[in-house]
Amino acid sequence: MERKGWQDAIIYQIYLRSFKDSNNDGIGDFKGLISKLDYLSDLGVNAIWVSPHYESPMDDNGYDISNFFEVSKDYGTLNDVKKFINLAHQKDMKVIFDLVLNHTSDEHEWFKAAKNPVHVDHHKYHDYYIWQKPKYDKDGDRQMPTQWRSWFGGGVWEYNEPTDEYYLHIFSKKMPDLNWRNSNMKRDLKDVAKWWINLGVDGFRVDASNHLEKNWDFPEGHPGYEHFSSLPKHHEYLEEFGIEIFHPNNVMAMGEAGGATKEEALKYCGFDNNEFDLLIHFGHVWADCDDSNHLTPGKWSKGNIDLNHIKKSFNRWFRMLNGDGWNLIYWHNHDHPRVISHYGNDSVYHTESGKMLAYSLYFMPGTPIIYQGEEIGMTNVDYKDLNDFRDVEVYTEYKNFLSFGATHEVAMQALRNRSRDNARSPFQWNNDVHSGFSKVTPWMNINENYSQINLKNQINDKNSIFSTYKELIRMRKEDNINDGILEFIDIDNKDTFVYVNETPTAKFLVLSNFYSKKIIFDLNIDIEDYENILYNYKEKELTNKMKLLPYEALVYKKRNRVMK
Ligand code: NOJ
């Protein structure tokens, strides 16, 4: 099979609002991003994924789009976008834009017409969205059509008086879901994608891609996710989009879907499929939930890390796709806490655990995505006040926690530990006021630790997390990490994270400790000829019994013998 460029890409994810502010309005923008292209190029990145930059009331920071063809004034102009694309291309970096196909903003012209029966375009757009008539209880009180729960915590239905109907929104109520059974709507979305392709975009990250189909019988369910997520027909829609838009235009497509069988994984991103090239999957992401917590349940409760779960997810995805499709590797994105706070240690072992996480991931085959700030070990933010949060999800969930019996402080701690805002605070460039992100107070608080954790402190320090990332990116390219076979050693051992990546020219052995305690374990493999190439404490000889200090990680390399 012909090798595709994206197989060897190093993708860097930009959360535009928080990357770099150029015009001092406290919000990151395209000119700011342009000013940092040299930084990204120097880091070794060759593809940039930009979070949604379209016109939006910013209920969900741009995932609620009111005009697909306009650039949000917060971020600049269309000319800035064109300049960004051209300059990125000049520096050999591909541009990936977020493509939001599941919903629009309720301020989109389509929805304005759809909800208003006297609007001149009402009939044209009403069925672009998903409507249901109310139900009535025995007292004659109006009820939602179902009890389905939105991904952001409340109900999925919002009443629209002028039509006496509810519309469906599986995210915030300002994000009505689109009706993918409507072919005019699909045609219009295809035009959106074509328009950006014509502007020079090289790829898309397709938002919420497994949610496009809904169960139109609207059966009861609570939370009812099985009625609006991962229904078989969404593959048909994605395939149609792929065949008509992505493939003929030679753009890379990267989907987003939680949980998939092998069959589904291959549909999404198998080499022979027509949907995506890559898939963002979440198997390893929330492997530290405390299921016994009913006050702040699910992802919101922090428990002990389940290392087996993490290893098994990486292993499973590698094996499901090996030879038949291409895998994607990443630690976290803008929807998760900062990985160093989540799976590492953001205080005593900041540098050690930051490097440990980097070694653990970046010797695996697959296309990596680095989330902005990960390369300097940015941490969760210690939000003091509920009003410090910006994420729409936080406010619905806070109310839920109180209704489950949580105190304000318990609810706040869950939000501090787990909210998406942890990953969204402004980039810490240096220790100037506002961390070099802006000259004015930014749209959300900067992490107070910016005077210690910032790029300027790390860029020239060969022992920093940043230098480690740079080195690993270089090694990935030079050492054909992507051509290897991944094998976890003693995968059921709950203390260890040990794997070998065997490439055509060398074997890489990675040993990591994810705990703040020492671990001692037997290494029952042939240990001969391995050289210790990376370490986050000191160089260490490889033996059959290994002892690792808190968050210690070691990488060994053994060259394959050249056959004569
Ligand atoms: C997934 C995105 O990553 C997330 O940030 C967003 O809130 C939802 N999709 C809805 O668009």
Side-chain angles (χ1 to χ4, degrees), residues 24 60 82 169 180 186 196 269 310 325 372 414 420 427 434 466 505 524 538 548-549:
N24 294 313
D60 188 22
K82 287 186 190 161
H169 62 88
W180 272 74
K186 284 195 290 187
W196 288 99
C269 58
I310 298 177
Q372 71 178 46
R420 310 192 296 178
F427 194 98
H434 309 306
F466 171 79
T505 50
N524 294 319
K538 281 194 201 133
L548 299 189
L549 297 169

Side-chain angles (χ1 to χ4, degrees), residues 2 29 54 120 158 223 233 250 259 279 428 482 519:
E2 182 208 342
D29 47 45
Y54 314 95
V120 41
E158 187 69 15
K233 204 172 164 64
N250 201 19
L279 183 75
Q428 295 164 207
N482 270 340
I519 56 167

Side-chain angles (χ1 to χ4, degrees), residues 60 63 100 103 152 171 175 205 207-208 256 334-335 420 424:
D60 188 22
Y63 281 96
V100 184
H103 45 264
F152 288 170
F171 295 100
M175 298 154 81
R205 177 269 192 184
D207 183 64
E256 192 204 14
H334 63 291
D335 290 334
R420 310 192 296 178
R424 299 175 178 185

Side-chain angles (χ1 to χ4, degrees), residues 140-157:
D141 290 332
R142 195 181 65 230
Q143 302 292 323
M144 292 186 191
T146 66
Q147 293 302 308
W148 300 356
R149 306 295 288 169
S150 109
W151 291 107
F152 288 170
V156 297
W157 297 104

